[in-house]
Tab-separated table of all heavy atoms in Angstrom:
chain	number	residue	atom	x	y	z
A	28	LYS	N	-3.387	2.211	-4.599
A	28	LYS	CA	-3.862	1.274	-5.604
A	28	LYS	C	-2.797	1.019	-6.668
A	28	LYS	O	-2.649	-0.105	-7.167
A	28	LYS	CB	-5.128	1.819	-6.272
A	28	LYS	CG	-6.325	2.007	-5.340
A	28	LYS	CD	-6.917	0.693	-4.915
A	28	LYS	CE	-8.163	0.909	-4.077
A	28	LYS	NZ	-8.730	-0.379	-3.585
A	29	LEU	N	-2.050	2.063	-6.993
A	29	LEU	CA	-0.970	1.932	-7.979
A	29	LEU	C	0.101	0.974	-7.480
A	29	LEU	O	0.586	0.125	-8.237
A	29	LEU	CB	-0.365	3.302	-8.288
A	29	LEU	CG	0.764	3.353	-9.315
A	29	LEU	CD1	0.269	2.899	-10.689
A	29	LEU	CD2	1.367	4.743	-9.389
A	30	PHE	N	0.438	1.088	-6.189
A	30	PHE	CA	1.435	0.190	-5.605
A	30	PHE	C	0.940	-1.262	-5.608
A	30	PHE	O	1.692	-2.188	-5.904
A	30	PHE	CB	1.756	0.617	-4.173
A	30	PHE	CG	2.957	1.513	-4.079
A	30	PHE	CD1	2.818	2.858	-3.797
A	30	PHE	CD2	4.235	1.011	-4.284
A	30	PHE	CE1	3.919	3.687	-3.723
A	30	PHE	CE2	5.348	1.831	-4.202
A	30	PHE	CZ	5.195	3.172	-3.925
A	31	LEU	N	-0.326	-1.448	-5.279
A	31	LEU	CA	-0.892	-2.802	-5.280
A	31	LEU	C	-0.848	-3.409	-6.678
A	31	LEU	O	-0.761	-4.625	-6.833
A	31	LEU	CB	-2.340	-2.763	-4.773
A	31	LEU	CG	-2.533	-2.379	-3.314
A	31	LEU	CD1	-4.018	-2.315	-2.983
A	31	LEU	CD2	-1.836	-3.370	-2.395
A	32	TYR	N	-0.906	-2.526	-7.677
A	32	TYR	CA	-0.887	-2.988	-9.073
A	32	TYR	C	0.520	-3.348	-9.558
A	32	TYR	O	0.718	-4.349	-10.230
A	32	TYR	CB	-1.480	-1.895	-9.967
A	32	TYR	CG	-1.321	-2.137	-11.445
A	32	TYR	CD1	-1.804	-3.294	-12.054
A	32	TYR	CD2	-0.672	-1.202	-12.246
A	32	TYR	CE1	-1.641	-3.519	-13.415
A	32	TYR	CE2	-0.513	-1.410	-13.616
A	32	TYR	CZ	-0.993	-2.580	-14.185
A	32	TYR	OH	-0.838	-2.799	-15.520
A	33	ILE	N	1.518	-2.541	-9.170
A	33	ILE	CA	2.862	-2.719	-9.724
A	33	ILE	C	3.800	-3.552	-8.842
A	33	ILE	O	4.794	-4.075	-9.334
A	33	ILE	CB	3.532	-1.368	-10.026
A	33	ILE	CG1	3.758	-0.568	-8.745
A	33	ILE	CG2	2.703	-0.583	-11.013
A	33	ILE	CD1	4.499	0.738	-8.966
A	34	VAL	N	3.477	-3.653	-7.535
A	34	VAL	CA	4.381	-4.347	-6.625
A	34	VAL	C	3.959	-5.804	-6.482
A	34	VAL	O	2.760	-6.103	-6.361
A	34	VAL	CB	4.389	-3.655	-5.239
A	34	VAL	CG1	5.273	-4.450	-4.263
A	34	VAL	CG2	4.906	-2.232	-5.361
A	35	ASP	N	4.939	-6.709	-6.479
A	35	ASP	CA	4.662	-8.136	-6.321
A	35	ASP	C	4.213	-8.414	-4.899
A	35	ASP	O	4.589	-7.728	-3.957
A	35	ASP	CB	5.910	-8.966	-6.631
A	35	ASP	CG	6.296	-8.871	-8.101
A	35	ASP	OD1	5.398	-8.665	-8.927
A	35	ASP	OD2	7.508	-8.997	-8.395
A	36	GLY	N	3.414	-9.471	-4.746
A	36	GLY	CA	2.960	-9.881	-3.435
A	36	GLY	C	1.449	-9.911	-3.358
A	36	GLY	O	0.765	-9.491	-4.275
A	37	ASP	N	0.953	-10.427	-2.248
A	37	ASP	CA	-0.493	-10.550	-2.048
A	37	ASP	C	-1.084	-9.188	-1.714
A	37	ASP	O	-0.614	-8.496	-0.807
A	37	ASP	CB	-0.776	-11.537	-0.914
A	37	ASP	CG	-2.271	-11.766	-0.725
A	37	ASP	OD1	-2.887	-12.400	-1.580
A	37	ASP	OD2	-2.804	-11.278	0.288
A	38	SER	N	-2.115	-8.792	-2.423
A	38	SER	CA	-2.712	-7.470	-2.248
A	38	SER	C	-3.335	-7.294	-0.888
A	38	SER	O	-3.288	-6.198	-0.314
A	38	SER	CB	-3.756	-7.205	-3.348
A	38	SER	OG	-4.791	-8.150	-3.265
A	39	SER	N	-3.920	-8.339	-0.327
A	39	SER	CA	-4.560	-8.233	0.976
A	39	SER	C	-3.525	-7.969	2.066
A	39	SER	O	-3.760	-7.198	3.004
A	39	SER	CB	-5.352	-9.503	1.302
A	39	SER	OG	-4.497	-10.631	1.320
A	40	ASP	N	-2.344	-8.632	1.946
A	40	ASP	CA	-1.276	-8.389	2.910
A	40	ASP	C	-0.757	-6.967	2.813
A	40	ASP	O	-0.469	-6.315	3.830
A	40	ASP	CB	-0.108	-9.369	2.683
A	40	ASP	CG	-0.483	-10.806	3.036
A	40	ASP	OD1	-1.458	-10.984	3.794
A	40	ASP	OD2	0.180	-11.724	2.530
A	41	GLN	N	-0.628	-6.471	1.594
A	41	GLN	CA	-0.148	-5.102	1.400
A	41	GLN	C	-1.145	-4.096	1.954
A	41	GLN	O	-0.766	-3.049	2.479
A	41	GLN	CB	0.104	-4.855	-0.086
A	41	GLN	CG	1.269	-5.651	-0.637
A	41	GLN	CD	1.462	-5.446	-2.125
A	41	GLN	OE1	1.233	-4.363	-2.653
A	41	GLN	NE2	1.874	-6.483	-2.810
A	42	GLU	N	-2.428	-4.388	1.839
A	42	GLU	CA	-3.458	-3.503	2.399
A	42	GLU	C	-3.302	-3.421	3.906
A	42	GLU	O	-3.382	-2.342	4.492
A	42	GLU	CB	-4.859	-4.054	2.048
A	42	GLU	CG	-5.233	-3.902	0.600
A	42	GLU	CD	-5.885	-2.572	0.312
A	42	GLU	OE1	-6.003	-1.761	1.238
A	42	GLU	OE2	-6.260	-2.343	-0.848
A	43	GLU	N	-3.083	-4.574	4.558
A	43	GLU	CA	-2.984	-4.602	6.006
A	43	GLU	C	-1.707	-3.954	6.506
A	43	GLU	O	-1.665	-3.351	7.584
A	43	GLU	CB	-3.038	-6.057	6.481
A	43	GLU	CG	-4.408	-6.717	6.253
A	43	GLU	CD	-4.406	-8.189	6.653
A	43	GLU	OE1	-3.340	-8.668	7.115
A	43	GLU	OE2	-5.445	-8.847	6.503
A	44	ASN	N	-0.615	-4.066	5.709
A	44	ASN	CA	0.684	-3.537	6.133
A	44	ASN	C	0.939	-2.129	5.618
A	44	ASN	O	2.055	-1.636	5.665
A	44	ASN	CB	1.809	-4.467	5.637
A	44	ASN	CG	1.703	-5.858	6.254
A	44	ASN	OD1	1.283	-6.001	7.403
A	44	ASN	ND2	2.064	-6.881	5.486
A	45	ASP	N	-0.073	-1.478	5.104
A	45	ASP	CA	0.077	-0.129	4.561
A	45	ASP	C	0.485	0.833	5.687
A	45	ASP	O	-0.252	0.999	6.660
A	45	ASP	CB	-1.246	0.326	3.953
A	45	ASP	CG	-1.152	1.727	3.377
A	45	ASP	OD1	-0.173	1.981	2.665
A	45	ASP	OD2	-2.057	2.537	3.638
A	46	PRO	N	1.660	1.466	5.588
A	46	PRO	CA	2.135	2.358	6.656
A	46	PRO	C	1.354	3.672	6.708
A	46	PRO	O	1.425	4.477	5.787
A	46	PRO	CB	3.613	2.586	6.288
A	46	PRO	CG	3.658	2.382	4.810
A	46	PRO	CD	2.610	1.361	4.476
A	47	GLN	N	0.625	3.875	7.794
A	47	GLN	CA	-0.187	5.076	7.914
A	47	GLN	C	0.677	6.340	8.016
A	47	GLN	O	0.310	7.388	7.491
A	47	GLN	CB	-1.096	4.958	9.150
A	47	GLN	CG	-2.154	3.877	9.030
A	47	GLN	CD	-3.112	4.125	7.877
A	47	GLN	OE1	-3.529	5.255	7.637
A	47	GLN	NE2	-3.449	3.078	7.148
A	48	VAL	N	1.817	6.232	8.720
A	48	VAL	CA	2.700	7.406	8.876
A	48	VAL	C	3.200	7.865	7.508
A	48	VAL	O	3.222	9.064	7.208
A	48	VAL	CB	3.882	7.064	9.802
A	48	VAL	CG1	4.869	8.242	9.846
A	48	VAL	CG2	3.398	6.755	11.205
A	49	GLY	N	3.576	6.902	6.660
A	49	GLY	CA	4.050	7.239	5.318
A	49	GLY	C	2.985	7.929	4.498
A	49	GLY	O	3.270	8.865	3.736
A	50	ARG	N	1.730	7.490	4.640
A	50	ARG	CA	0.632	8.106	3.898
A	50	ARG	C	0.403	9.536	4.374
A	50	ARG	O	0.147	10.428	3.555
A	50	ARG	CB	-0.652	7.290	4.075
A	50	ARG	CG	-0.602	5.923	3.430
A	50	ARG	CD	-1.921	5.208	3.534
A	50	ARG	NE	-2.930	5.834	2.685
A	50	ARG	CZ	-4.214	5.507	2.691
A	50	ARG	NH1	-4.657	4.582	3.532
A	50	ARG	NH2	-5.072	6.091	1.886
A	51	ILE	N	0.502	9.758	5.678
A	51	ILE	CA	0.302	11.112	6.219
A	51	ILE	C	1.421	12.039	5.729
A	51	ILE	O	1.176	13.186	5.355
A	51	ILE	CB	0.253	11.074	7.757
A	51	ILE	CG1	-1.024	10.348	8.207
A	51	ILE	CG2	0.266	12.496	8.324
A	51	ILE	CD1	-1.115	10.128	9.694
A	52	ILE	N	2.651	11.520	5.733
A	52	ILE	CA	3.785	12.313	5.228
A	52	ILE	C	3.549	12.698	3.775
A	52	ILE	O	3.772	13.844	3.367
A	52	ILE	CB	5.100	11.527	5.375
A	52	ILE	CG1	5.476	11.384	6.844
A	52	ILE	CG2	6.240	12.228	4.604
A	52	ILE	CD1	6.676	10.490	7.092
A	53	GLY	N	3.079	11.736	2.987
A	53	GLY	CA	2.786	12.014	1.575
A	53	GLY	C	1.711	13.051	1.402
A	53	GLY	O	1.801	13.931	0.528
A	54	LYS	N	0.667	12.988	2.225
A	54	LYS	CA	-0.424	13.959	2.149
A	54	LYS	C	0.065	15.371	2.468
A	54	LYS	O	-0.233	16.328	1.738
A	54	LYS	CB	-1.547	13.583	3.119
A	54	LYS	CG	-2.299	12.324	2.755
A	54	LYS	CD	-3.311	11.975	3.837
A	54	LYS	CE	-4.066	10.704	3.508
A	54	LYS	NZ	-5.051	10.345	4.571
C-alpha cells in the first residue's frame, strides 16, 4: 500500500504487476 501511495502510475496496474516472488523474499 505504501508503494501504491508513493510510486507514480496507475494503482490497478501496480496491483496486477505486484511480484509475488519479491513479496515472499521480503516476508
Side-chain angles (χ1 to χ4, degrees):
K28 297 289 185 183
L29 181 64
F30 266 108
L31 293 177
Y32 171 57
I33 64 176
V34 176
D35 294 331
D37 183 71
S38 61
S39 61
D40 291 340
Q41 292 177 35
E42 288 273 2
E43 292 176 0
N44 297 326
D45 180 46
Q47 293 298 319
V48 174
R50 292 184 70 187
I51 292 174
I52 291 173
K54 292 175 181 179

